[in-house]
């Protein structure tokens, strides 16, 4: 496992803690103020919850949303696949990446990975990285308490480390929704949060052209792209959308002089390994 990191609460979280202390002190000094104190605390919780619904926000703590400048200067674009592994789609994605000489990071759901260990081995053997996308990908993840979060992250870390032969260094919460209690848990496992610069919504959109346009609009060096090898939407012919979009995307990257890479060369603090 990676060494635990020191957790430094984000300024917003420090301000929230001070607000709670001030509210408690105010009520202790003047009990009649309790409705105002309760309203302030409730409003603060609502604000934190709303920010957690904004996946690309860094207000709750560090968030790798794009590659470091050193990678951008090399013309690199980060490529990530979520929600796998999937017996049908993941193998085909790996073949497409091989043909283009591209590399990617696969944010795996540990429960699925445990059912398909050969796919995890293939991801690593073919030059890609396996990262942590939780144990069960629960839709309740953003509302869990800290013990449940620790279990979801920790069990996934143990399973994926055993299967991949190396510990994941990055974590992406289900649907990107962030719980204010998540960061200290990640620090304890030596993980950092990663999201994306742009996504194509290929898990819900059935039109490959629309997915491709979203990924390519404004695309530049250093961008971090998110696709899905698990939970893949299918077009009108039943073909996984990602399998139509990916070869076109890789061709367009090559035409622009860009290279698709994994997060292998990015340190957990977002500084490139050199």
């Amino acid at each position: 496992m990676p060494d635990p990191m020191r957790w430094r609460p984000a300024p917003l979280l420090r301000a929230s803690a001070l607000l709670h202390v001030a509210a408690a002190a105010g009520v202790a000094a003047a009990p009649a103020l309790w409705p105002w104190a309760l309203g302030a605390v409730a409003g603060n919780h609502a604000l934190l919850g709303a920010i957690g619904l904004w996946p690309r926000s860094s207000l709750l703590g560090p968030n790798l949303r794009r590659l470091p400048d050193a990678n951008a200067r090399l013309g690199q674009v980060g490529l990530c696949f979520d929600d796998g592994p999937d017996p049908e789609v993941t193998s085909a994605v790996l073949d497409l990446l091989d043909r283009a000489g591209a590399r990617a990071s696969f944010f795996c759901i540990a429960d699925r990975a445990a059912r398909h260990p050969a796919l995890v081995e293939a991801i690593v053997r073919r030059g890609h990285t396996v990262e942590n996308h939780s144990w069960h990908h629960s839709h309740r993840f953003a509302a869990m308490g800290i013990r449940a979060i620790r279990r979801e992250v920790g069990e996934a870390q143990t399973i994926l480390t055993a299967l991949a032969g190396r510990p994941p260094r990055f974590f992406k919460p289900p649907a990107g929704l962030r719980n204010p209690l998540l960061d200290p848990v990640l620090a304890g496992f030596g993980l950092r949060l990663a999201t994306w610069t742009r996504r194509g919504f290929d898990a819900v959109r059935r039109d490959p052209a629309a997915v491709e346009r979203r990924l390519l609009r404004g695309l530049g060096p250093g961008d971090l792209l998110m696709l899905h090898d698990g939970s893949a939407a299918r077009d009108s012919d039943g073909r996984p959308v990602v399998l139509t979009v990916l070869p076109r995307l890789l061709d367009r990257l090559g035409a622009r002089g860009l290279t698709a890479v994994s997060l292998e060369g990015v340190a957990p603090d977002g500084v490139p390994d050199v």
Side-chain angles (χ1 to χ4, degrees):
M1 292 285 180
D3 292 334
M5 302 175 188
R6 180 182 177 185
W7 177 55
R8 296 179 178 86
L12 179 60
L13 294 180
R14 291 198 296 269
S16 297
L18 290 174
L19 174 64
H20 282 69
V21 172
V27 170
L33 294 177
W34 73 264
W36 296 96
L38 180 62
V41 170
N44 175 250
H45 283 215
L47 174 63
L48 294 179
I51 292 172
L53 300 177
W54 180 15
R56 298 187 64 250
S57 171
S58 59
L59 292 174
L60 297 179
N63 184 355
L64 184 72
R65 297 171 294 183
R66 56 181 292 109
L67 299 181
D69 290 343
N71 298 89
R73 287 194 292 270
L74 294 173
Q76 296 177 345
V77 170
L79 188 57
C80 297
F81 294 90
D82 287 14
D83 292 1
D86 177 274
E88 176 187 356
V89 180
T90 303
S91 294
V93 166
L94 290 172
D95 289 342
L96 292 170
L97 293 173
D98 279 353
R99 291 172 196 162
R103 295 292 179 265
S105 288
F106 289 76
F107 281 81
C108 294
I109 300 171
D111 182 54
R112 293 184 181 180
R115 295 198 298 269
H116 305 289
L119 286 176
V120 179
E121 188 275 334
I123 290 170
V124 175
R125 174 171 45 82
R126 294 165 80 166
H128 313 286
T129 72
V130 171
E131 307 298 345
N132 190 329
H133 198 33
S134 81
W135 187 14
H136 293 111
H137 200 271
S138 171
H139 295 301
R140 299 183 296 104
F141 184 86
M144 288 180 176
I146 194 165
R147 291 180 62 183
I149 293 173
R150 186 176 292 116
R151 182 169 170 79
E152 274 289 317
V153 175
E155 290 291 342
Q157 192 74 353
T158 298
I159 292 168
L160 295 173
T161 297
L163 293 175
R166 63 175 283 278
R169 298 188 306 147
F170 294 93
F171 177 83
K172 188 181 297 179
L177 304 183
R178 187 172 189 175
N179 189 305
L181 303 174
L182 177 60
D183 264 34
V185 174
L186 296 186
F189 290 106
L191 290 163
R192 289 291 193 186
L193 188 89
T195 54
W196 57 82
T197 309
R198 61 192 71 250
R199 60 187 300 190
F201 292 97
D202 60 311
V204 293
R205 291 196 169 190
R206 302 180 62 190
D207 179 2
V211 172
E212 183 181 352
R213 284 195 299 270
R214 284 194 62 91
L215 290 170
L216 292 172
R217 187 182 300 124
L219 177 68
D223 283 356
L224 190 56
L225 308 183
M226 184 181 75
L227 291 156
H228 291 79
D229 62 321
S231 308
R234 294 174 181 265
D235 63 20
S236 57
D237 296 323
R239 176 178 171 79
V241 168
V242 65
L243 299 185
T244 300
V245 171
L246 183 57
R248 298 176 183 172
L249 174 65
L250 294 172
D251 286 345
R252 295 291 293 273
L253 292 179
R256 298 184 186 189
L258 301 173
T259 304
V261 300
S262 71
L263 301 182
E264 179 70 29
V266 179
D269 59 1
V271 179
D273 294 334
V274 294

